[in-house]
Amino acid sequence: MTTTSRQNPSLAEMTDLMPLSATTNCADPQSAYSELRARWGQVAPVELEPGIPGWLVLGHPEICNVARNERLFSRDPHNWRMYYEGIVSPDSGLGPMMFPRDNAYFADGDKHRRLRAPIEDALEGMPEHQLAGMVRQTCTDLIGRFVDRGAGDLVADYAAVIPMLVVGRMFGFGMDQAEEFRQGLLALFGSGEDSQAGNRRVEEMLNEIIHARRAEPAADVTSAFLDSGNLRDDYEIEQSMVLMVSAGYETTMTWIAQTLRLMLTDDRFGGRLRGGRLGLDEALDEVLWRDPPMTNMPARYALADCDLAGRRIDRGDALILGFAAANADSRVHSGDPWLEVGNRSYLAYSTGPHTCPAQRTSRIITRIAVDTALHLLHDVVVAVPAEQITPIPSPWTRCPASLPVRFARSATVHN
Ligand code: HEM
């Protein structure tokens, strides 16, 4: 730490800050990031919500430093000053992403490694062809529900439905049960009147599948969790399952939706792909560079006073990882997608001990979802002007709120 940085203002002393949501709820996030860089450098103070400031880390190497150094930057929100001093309201909109929960996501060190290992093992142990077959069947079934209408919304009818159904089926639920599970999760995440009932149903269903697999194991995630020596009881198994669904839901939905949106609205991107000059995997990579599903990732909490890119960080400060900003950092990306084919140093999956354990799984899901839609829906066109496709309001992600399309009517779909 340098004396200079201690003389810099603390986060609490900074005024006139840009709201974090100004970087997501706009047509061009990179112009908001440029404005922040010009004023503050690679680490900028922002307002997470009114009265709650935090640091937004914009540089690629700076994010790597933070995400890889858990001795200095904790993942556990109990170390967030705004939280432990009771400054952030218990019903704050930041809660779902920034308040502590008892799972791997919010843990550090040994506890984190113990809770993460079974998730990694379960994901790695899943046979790829079995997963791919199940995903293709799920996507085909979904398209079959609206293909005869000649119109649909590729977010509400498709991208938003796939992740919960697929993860439910990875737990061992059949298609109907997975649909019931999804309805429970939607009620639970929606925090409306039916949220408690949704929570109860999700817990019941998880308990049922845990008991069923204890009696008769199968080749699924639930059996892998039961087999793991690391998860101590049914509570930890259940929490790990809830974590998998919640971590996989918005991310995978956004990746599918952003890829379909770009294919249908960006002629350069869609043309290269349709013309065979860009493979689907490379197109998916390009989306992870341009529009990573987690635009801004919460959060790390400083465990000691320190200096980061010339900014004064105090113990207890929150740091948000600006993945979309870092992906445009000229130190890792030239800005020319042609030159970058094969470069996977994007931060879409983060880095360090908490890096997403589902990189292979989520790519299989997203690749098959995009491929199945393009294969089964003929002559697809977007039904609204591209500029009317706006993101769901959130400081963290930029998932299109809807992607209305028209296509040739067809009575049936075949795999
Ligand atoms: C089925 C799909 C998915 C599942 C089951 C899943 C699961 C998880 C889990 C369990 C974690 C917590 C890991 C830990 O804290 O050690 C995590 C973290 C994360 N995942 Fe995924 N994920 C999925 C899809 C995605 C996708 C599509 C993306 C983006 C391309 C993504 C990006 C991330 C990021 C950025 C983190 C946070 C890492 C951090 O805090 O530094 N995930 N994921």
Side-chain angles (χ1 to χ4, degrees):
M1 187 200 349
T2 59
T3 328
T4 334
S5 85
R6 287 299 98 191
Q7 286 161 354
N8 282 340
S10 70
L11 195 52
E13 288 161 348
M14 304 240 174
T15 52
D16 187 24
L17 302 183
M18 182 189 281
L20 181 63
S21 56
T23 69
T24 48
N25 211 355
C26 61
D28 178 17
Q30 294 303 339
S31 70
Y33 292 131
S34 300
E35 195 182 320
L36 286 170
R37 271 200 193 93
R39 183 171 171 200
W40 304 104
Q42 298 295 356
V43 178
V46 289
E47 203 166 46
L48 305 183
E49 67 175 26
I52 307 291
W55 297 106
L56 178 63
V57 189
L58 300 157
H60 193 285
E62 287 76 14
I63 289 186
C64 293
N65 280 342
V66 172
R68 291 174 187 164
N69 186 352
E70 68 178 342
R71 292 193 175 188
L72 189 51
F73 299 108
S74 162
R75 189 77 178 79
D76 182 349
H78 289 105
N79 297 305
W80 184 22
R81 192 176 52 256
M82 296 279 156
Y83 177 76
Y84 62 71
E85 288 184 354
I87 296 168
V88 59
S89 149
D91 50 355
S92 158
L94 301 170
M97 294 296 276
M98 291 186 72
F99 287 176
R101 262 180 263 173
D102 198 8
N103 62 36
Y105 211 67
F106 295 105
D108 298 318
D110 290 346
K111 181 177 178 194
H112 170 250
R113 306 304 187 271
R114 179 177 69 76
L115 292 174
R116 180 182 162 102
I119 299 177
E120 272 179 338
D121 292 347
L123 289 166
E124 275 162 25
M126 218 165 3
E128 214 157 273
H129 65 277
Q130 189 184 314
L131 173 68
M134 178 270 278
V135 176
R136 196 170 294 282
Q137 189 197 31
T138 305
C139 296
T140 305
D141 185 280
L142 278 179
I143 287 180
R145 296 184 197 176
F146 62 86
V147 71
D148 61 337
R149 297 207 305 258
D153 177 352
L154 290 180
V155 176
D157 296 331
Y158 196 62
V161 190
I162 294 165
M164 283 181 184
L165 284 184
V166 165
V167 177
R169 295 193 67 191
M170 279 159 58
F171 293 160
F173 294 131
M175 189 67 174
D176 290 348
Q177 284 174 306
E179 181 57 45
E180 193 185 342
F181 183 61
R182 187 178 79 86
Q183 295 301 336
L185 288 165
L186 285 177
L188 166 63
F189 293 160
S191 343
E193 273 176 13
D194 52 354
S195 163
Q196 290 299 329
N199 190 20
R200 274 195 303 278
R201 189 64 198 125
V202 166
E203 275 181 13
E204 267 167 25
M205 290 193 76
L206 290 176
N207 272 316
E208 280 161 20
I209 192 89
I210 292 170
H211 283 107
R213 290 302 181 264
R214 183 168 280 125
E216 198 173 330
D220 54 32
V221 168
T222 311
S223 296
F225 281 174
L226 280 162
D227 238 14
S228 154
N230 281 307
L231 297 175
R232 292 179 177 150
D233 49 30
D234 286 5
Y235 169 77
E236 287 196 347
I237 295 181
E238 204 185 294
Q239 292 306 309
S240 303
M241 293 168 98
V242 172
L243 170 59
M244 277 185 72
V245 186
S246 43
Y249 171 49
E250 271 194 305
T251 46
T252 312
M253 161 173 85
T254 306
W255 196 10
I256 298 169
Q258 287 289 30
T259 309
L260 290 169
R261 177 187 71 84
L262 280 171
M263 279 175 166
L264 297 171
T265 61
D266 180 330
D267 289 342
R268 249 184 98 214
F269 181 85
R272 278 153 66 218
L273 190 61
R274 278 189 297 274
R277 283 171 290 148
L278 192 69
L280 187 45
D281 269 314
E282 285 133 21
L284 291 174
D285 282 335
E286 195 171 318
V287 177
L288 294 185
W289 278 110
R290 282 170 67 168
D291 276 301
M294 294 303 305
T295 313
N296 302 311
M297 179 77 212
R300 298 299 189 272
Y301 307 97
L303 292 173
D305 296 348
C306 58
D307 173 78
L308 187 66
R311 293 275 144 227
R312 164 183 168 174
I313 313 291
D314 289 331
R315 188 173 76 84
D317 283 356
L319 296 101
I320 308 302
L321 311 180
F323 293 155
N327 280 355
D329 190 326
S330 57
R331 290 170 289 183
V332 292
H333 195 277
S334 66
D336 180 344
W338 275 119
L339 296 177
E340 301 300 337
V341 171
N343 180 355
R344 285 193 174 171
S345 58
Y346 41 70
L347 284 172
Y349 286 111
S350 192
T351 181
H354 288 272
T355 191
C356 177
Q359 300 191 29
R360 185 183 66 103
T361 314
S362 67
R363 182 175 287 266
I364 293 173
I365 300 169
T366 305
R367 192 199 307 119
I368 293 177
V370 171
D371 186 52
T372 307
L374 297 179
H375 189 68
L376 296 180
L377 298 174
H378 302 291
D379 308 323
V380 194
V381 287
V382 176
V384 295
E387 56 284 4
Q388 281 181 23
I389 302 169
T390 51
I392 301 169
S394 158
W396 318 118
T397 61
R398 297 187 75 247
C399 184
S402 69
L403 187 55
V405 290
R406 280 193 307 270
F407 42 83
R409 234 176 253 270
S410 165
T412 48
V413 291
H414 302 286
N415 236 332

